[in-house]
């Protein structure tokens, strides 16, 4: 090979080595393109918003006390512990006079970043549960694509509206009292209302955290299951039942504090590529 050709070849190699990360396929495209789970032992890798999952199980579309919604998204997959939790909670809803529960997004078949929507739900341990008061669990696939969820909030989330009932309170409470649950996210007004209405031991409310947007559904997050050495738990909630913190959220909604004079510019979130995720995620993608 001539000197000039060697230089050209070396330059080409350097260009490949120095190619920007955004030239790689995005992780959400790789994981979003998988329609089936990996044939591996159930395992979560990484964190809730930066990871993947092996051996996930599909939540059956319909059961005696539940239905999975928006089936076209193919996001009704979870770690076996999540599937067991969801089924158990749906039976608790029956005790409150509902026919069961409607389940929204869990995870993609192999977890990972989603093509649209959530930043979390990546390791098979997150579930969105509709706050819709279920009267029947025989909806068709078409109905499950088009039925509208029902909002529970009033005044931008500072209060619950008339759709909120004691049954909602008891279902969230049943979820929080499951020892596998790490956190529950729901809009601030609901947390404050539950703090007011709960007359017994309020320690379970520590897991219920106020968060924006969660007024059509509540979001349950399980702790890393035993044996999931590659799974990264979120830091535990602060001590106490969190009721005063939720009230501060509500106060700020009703009387917003003045904006900072020189707010820092928000940095755009970078889309993950496979190299950003735990190394085990490459094997999850390659598995049959």
């Amino acid at each position: 090979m001539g000197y000039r050709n060697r230089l050209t070849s070396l330059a080409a190699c350097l260009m490949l080595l120095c190619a920007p990360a955004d030239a790689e396929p995005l992780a959400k495209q790789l994981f979003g393109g998988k329609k089936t789970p990996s044939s591996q032992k159930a395992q979560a890798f990484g964190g809730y918003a930066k990871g993947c999952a092996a051996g996930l199980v599909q939540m059956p579309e319909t059961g005696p006390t539940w239905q999975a919604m928006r089936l076209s998204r193919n996001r009704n997959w979870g770690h076996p512990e999540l599937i067991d939790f969801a089924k158990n909670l749906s039976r608790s809803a029956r005790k409150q006079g509902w026919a069961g529960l409607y389940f929204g997004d869990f995870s993609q078949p192999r977890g990972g970043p989603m093509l649209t929507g959530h930043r979390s739900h990546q390791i098979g341990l997150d579930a969105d549960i509709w706050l819709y008061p279920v009267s029947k669990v025989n909806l068709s696939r078409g109905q499950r694509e088009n039925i509208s969820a029902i909002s529970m909030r009033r005044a931008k989330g500072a209060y619950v509206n008339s759709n909120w009932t004691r049954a909602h309170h008891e279902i969230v409470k049943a979820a929080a009292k499951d020892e596998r649950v790490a956190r529950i996210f729901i809009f601030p007004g609901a947390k404050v209302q539950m703090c007011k209405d709960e007359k017994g031991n309020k320690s379970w409310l520590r897991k219920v955290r106020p968060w924006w947007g969660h007024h059509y559904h509540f979001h349950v997050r399980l702790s890393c299951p035993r044996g999931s050495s590659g799974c990264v738990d979120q830091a535990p909630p602060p001590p106490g039942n969190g009721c005063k913190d939720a009230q501060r959220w509500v106060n700020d909604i009703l009387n917003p504090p003045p904006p900072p004079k020189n707010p820092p510019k928000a940095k755009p979130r970078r889309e993950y590529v496979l190299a950003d995720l735990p190394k085990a995620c490459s094997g999850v993608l390659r598995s049959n």
Side-chain angles (χ1 to χ4, degrees):
M1 181 185 292
Y3 178 72
R4 181 174 294 179
N5 287 341
R6 286 198 298 272
L7 283 178
T8 302
S9 179
L10 177 61
C13 289
L14 288 172
M15 288 177 66
L16 286 174
L17 289 171
C18 299
D22 59 8
E24 302 176 44
L26 297 179
K28 67 180 183 180
Q29 296 169 335
L30 297 173
F31 284 94
K34 292 293 185 180
K35 305 302 181 186
T36 58
S38 69
S39 56
Q40 298 167 298
K41 177 185 175 182
Q43 189 86 307
F45 299 108
Y48 301 93
K50 192 177 183 181
C52 65
L56 294 186
V57 177
Q58 189 173 35
M59 184 72 185
E61 295 178 6
T62 298
T65 53
W66 75 83
Q67 286 199 285
M69 309 301 280
R70 308 295 193 255
L71 297 172
S72 62
R73 297 179 180 177
N74 196 28
R75 294 177 178 177
N76 56 329
W77 297 83
H79 190 281
E81 288 287 350
L82 183 69
I83 303 303
D84 182 68
F85 161 81
K87 291 178 179 179
N88 285 343
L89 187 64
S90 72
R91 289 190 282 270
S92 295
R94 285 287 289 269
K95 296 177 183 178
Q96 303 305 320
W98 293 13
L101 292 174
Y102 290 158
F103 294 121
D105 288 350
F106 286 17
S107 289
Q108 299 175 143
R110 303 187 190 205
M114 290 188 175
L115 287 170
T116 59
H118 312 282
R119 296 289 296 185
S120 60
H121 291 253
Q122 293 193 27
I123 56 175
L125 297 173
D126 292 285
D128 286 345
I129 301 170
W130 284 28
L131 290 164
Y132 193 105
V134 175
S135 60
K136 57 183 179 180
V137 288
N138 61 353
L139 299 178
S140 68
R141 290 180 67 91
Q143 288 172 320
R144 283 183 264 183
E145 292 294 330
N146 296 304
I147 190 173
S148 295
I150 297 175
S151 176
M152 300 289 143
R153 77 175 183 179
R154 181 166 60 90
K156 298 182 179 180
Y159 305 104
V160 296
N161 61 26
S162 60
N163 293 322
W164 181 265
T165 67
R166 185 68 188 196
H168 290 92
H169 177 115
E170 294 297 334
I171 291 166
V172 173
K173 180 178 179 179
K177 295 188 81 170
D178 190 305
E179 63 180 11
R180 295 170 290 188
V181 172
R183 267 179 168 74
I184 295 172
F185 301 101
I186 199 165
F187 70 100
K191 168 78 184 244
V192 168
Q193 189 65 46
M194 286 186 282
C195 288
K196 291 177 179 177
D197 291 343
E198 182 58 44
K199 303 305 181 187
N201 185 339
K202 297 185 180 183
S203 61
W204 60 271
L205 281 159
R206 181 187 181 197
K207 294 183 182 179
V208 182
R209 312 308 299 180
W211 200 250
W212 304 114
H214 290 70
H215 56 101
Y216 291 103
H217 70 271
F218 64 102
H219 175 163
V220 174
R221 172 168 294 165
L222 300 193
S223 301
C224 292
R226 292 177 183 175
S228 294
S229 58
C231 180
V232 180
D233 270 313
Q234 188 174 358
N241 57 32
C243 290
K244 289 182 179 179
D245 183 54
Q247 186 62 56
R248 282 193 291 269
W249 279 65
V250 166
N251 294 345
D252 286 346
I253 293 171
L254 297 174
N255 296 291
K261 291 183 179 179
N262 297 301
K265 291 184 179 180
K267 294 182 179 180
R269 286 177 172 170
R270 185 174 66 81
E271 295 280 6
Y272 292 140
V273 296
L274 185 58
D276 294 315
L277 304 183
K279 291 181 179 180
C281 293
S282 295
V284 171
L285 280 175
R286 290 195 303 269
S287 174
N288 293 329

